[in-house]
Amino acid sequence: MVNQNLTATEIGFTHEDFAALLDKYDYHFSPGDVVPGTVFSIEPRGALIDIGAKTAAYIPIQEMSINRVDSPEEVLQSNETREFFILTDENEDGQLTLSIRRIEYMRAWERVRQLQAEDATVRSGVFATNRGGALVRIEGLRGFIPGSHISTRKPKEELVGEDLPLKFLEVDEERNRLVLSHRRALVERKMNRLEVGEVVIGTVRGIKPYGAFIDIGGVSGLLHISEISHEHIDTPHSVFNVNDEVKVMIIDLDAERGRISLSTKQLEPEPGDMIKNRDLVYDKAEEMAAKYREQMLAKQQGATAAPTEVSVEEDIPPAAELEEDIPPAAELEEDIPPAAELEEDIPVVAETEEQIPAATETEEQIPAAIEE
């Protein structure tokens, strides 16, 4: 019979030996790892999580979601098992700090990259505006719509709370920039119902030295100064006034850039009629547009038709000329929420090590970039 009263000396295995054995086979956790864990205890401003470490890890409430959380119970339940991101290394008590927000943040960028690759149209409500445009949330990330890409007659301030269709302009996780276009989404929708060579009625909404912006069914097209008439024009102001109703023909639809290019020159029965007899141009618009479409079809079929008086392609304004109506990236930089503002609230591993929250001490620091 085995003697059950053997001493530690007789066994040759002490508590220190046991602790050393545990250390030998203990799991090694590193910041940046994603590990499974089970909710051990829910506290007012956080929760203790069992991830198999010697000490229960801690997740503060501000790390529980990419969105604002008022109570841990909104996200976690006792004994629930899920994935956690190790945010910081062990503190002096051997406790790790965890995050769910980081996982959601990484997956949100993955989703928006996929949406951009699919050229998807997304919808989101405007939650704020600034001098340069409007702010929305896509998959929990804060996105920016430059003012030049907002197609509405409303003042920007009145857009708060409005749901808008949007296309992606820039998705840059490294710079923490998510830029979208309302105009491009509307133009794409409108383009599905428009055709090159089609005559449409629009209203002059703005006049620039390089052309006039025409509202056609809620989207804006550019009537470049070179496409107003076959005769030379010093300025579009000499031909049009704001709020004039005009008949124009679509000569180009650029879905990728959200551009609609228009022409009245191609509708002139005789060169200069837009200046001398605009009513005649409008009366003959459909007839001239039909001739234009025939010429386009002949070119597509490779026909050797007699050359027209003016080459259509030569007069279509190049893309570089149309770029003027959108401020260059350098002008928009100051209005897009910069990466530094977004990243300072998402702690870098090295920076957060000295701020590991104790189980009973957590301050709410929901990131400005993604807070509600």
Side-chain angles (χ1 to χ4, degrees):
M1 182 175 179
V2 178
N3 184 355
Q4 297 181 356
N5 296 319
L6 294 175
T7 66
T9 303
E10 294 171 321
I11 296 175
F13 193 76
T14 65
H15 288 293
E16 290 75 13
D17 296 327
F18 183 69
L21 186 63
L22 285 178
D23 288 337
K24 181 179 178 181
Y25 291 100
D26 191 21
Y27 291 105
H28 294 284
F29 299 99
S30 301
D33 290 347
V34 176
V35 297
T38 302
V39 179
F40 176 71
S41 173
I42 295 180
E43 302 187 354
R45 305 301 295 170
L48 295 173
I49 311 296
D50 179 7
I51 61 170
K54 290 182 292 185
T55 303
Y58 184 75
I59 179 169
I61 192 169
Q62 68 266 23
E63 289 296 332
M64 288 186 180
S65 175
I66 200 171
N67 299 309
R68 183 184 180 89
V69 175
D70 295 320
S71 170
E73 286 82 2
E74 294 177 23
V75 179
L76 299 174
Q77 297 179 354
S78 294
N79 299 318
E80 174 188 2
T81 298
R82 60 177 299 162
E83 287 185 324
F84 295 89
F85 180 95
I86 298 180
L87 190 62
T88 67
D89 214 335
E90 295 178 352
N91 62 11
E92 62 275 8
D93 297 322
Q95 187 180 69
L96 295 162
T97 302
L98 306 179
S99 174
I100 296 171
R101 181 179 64 128
R102 275 300 182 95
I103 295 176
E104 292 181 345
Y105 183 79
M106 293 185 293
R107 290 175 180 170
W109 278 109
E110 184 179 343
R111 285 193 293 270
V112 295
R113 282 194 297 270
Q114 182 62 35
L115 289 169
Q116 182 192 38
E118 296 171 358
D119 195 27
T121 298
V122 297
R123 298 191 70 90
S124 181
V126 175
F127 71 86
T129 61
N130 64 16
R131 183 171 62 87
L135 299 174
V136 295
R137 288 189 181 86
I138 306 294
E139 299 291 340
L141 301 171
R142 184 165 70 178
F144 177 72
I145 312 172
S148 61
H149 279 268
I150 299 175
S151 288
T152 177
R153 299 175 191 174
K154 291 183 178 180
K156 282 184 302 184
E157 297 74 18
E158 296 181 15
L159 288 175
V160 175
E162 187 164 334
D163 198 46
L164 302 178
L166 303 166
K167 302 288 287 188
F168 292 95
L169 291 179
E170 181 180 357
V171 176
D172 190 336
E173 182 177 4
E174 288 187 4
R175 300 174 66 196
N176 222 335
R177 286 163 57 98
L178 183 58
V179 186
L180 304 110
S181 172
H182 175 228
R183 186 186 69 182
R184 182 176 291 183
L186 291 183
V187 169
E188 181 183 84
R189 182 188 301 173
K190 185 70 176 178
M191 281 183 180
N192 292 333
R193 301 191 296 269
L194 296 176
E195 295 181 2
V196 172
E198 179 181 356
V199 174
V200 293
I201 297 175
T203 304
V204 178
R205 292 302 179 196
I207 300 176
K208 301 289 184 180
Y210 51 84
F213 289 98
I214 314 297
D215 184 307
I216 49 174
V219 295
S220 181
L222 177 63
L223 176 58
H224 195 271
I225 188 171
S226 64
E227 282 296 329
I228 294 176
S229 175
H230 284 94
E231 288 196 359
H232 175 73
I233 293 173
D234 291 326
T235 171
H237 287 278
S238 64
V239 182
F240 300 111
N241 294 310
V242 173
N243 294 325
D244 280 356
E245 188 173 88
V246 296
K247 263 190 181 181
V248 292
M249 184 177 69
I250 299 168
I251 57 172
D252 187 52
L253 295 170
D254 189 340
E256 183 178 347
R257 302 166 79 182
R259 303 285 176 82
I260 299 176
S261 300
L262 307 171
S263 176
T264 51
K265 177 171 75 174
Q266 306 301 335
L267 300 179
E268 289 184 321
E270 296 293 335
D273 278 345
M274 271 303 294
I275 302 170
K276 304 169 188 174
N277 192 349
R278 191 188 308 184
D279 289 339
L280 176 63
V281 176
Y282 293 164
D283 289 342
K284 297 283 188 178
E286 296 292 350
E287 180 182 334
M288 297 301 297
K291 291 180 179 179
Y292 176 89
R293 291 192 293 269
E294 289 175 4
Q295 293 171 4
M296 295 286 289
L297 182 61
K299 286 186 177 183
Q300 291 173 2
Q301 295 175 344
T304 55
T308 55
E309 184 177 350
V310 178
S311 171
V312 173
E313 293 192 1
E314 288 178 3
D315 292 310
I316 295 177
E321 292 180 322
L322 300 182
E323 287 288 343
E324 297 179 53
D325 65 300
I326 297 181
E331 294 180 13
L332 297 176
E333 282 284 343
E334 60 186 33
D335 296 314
I336 298 176
E341 287 183 7
L342 302 181
E343 291 176 351
E344 65 184 5
D345 293 307
I346 300 177
V348 178
V349 169
E351 294 175 354
T352 55
E353 188 169 352
E354 59 183 340
Q355 299 176 348
I356 299 174
T360 57
E361 297 181 57
T362 56
E363 295 182 1
E364 188 166 14
Q365 297 175 346
I366 297 175
I370 52 183
E371 67 179 348
E372 287 292 327

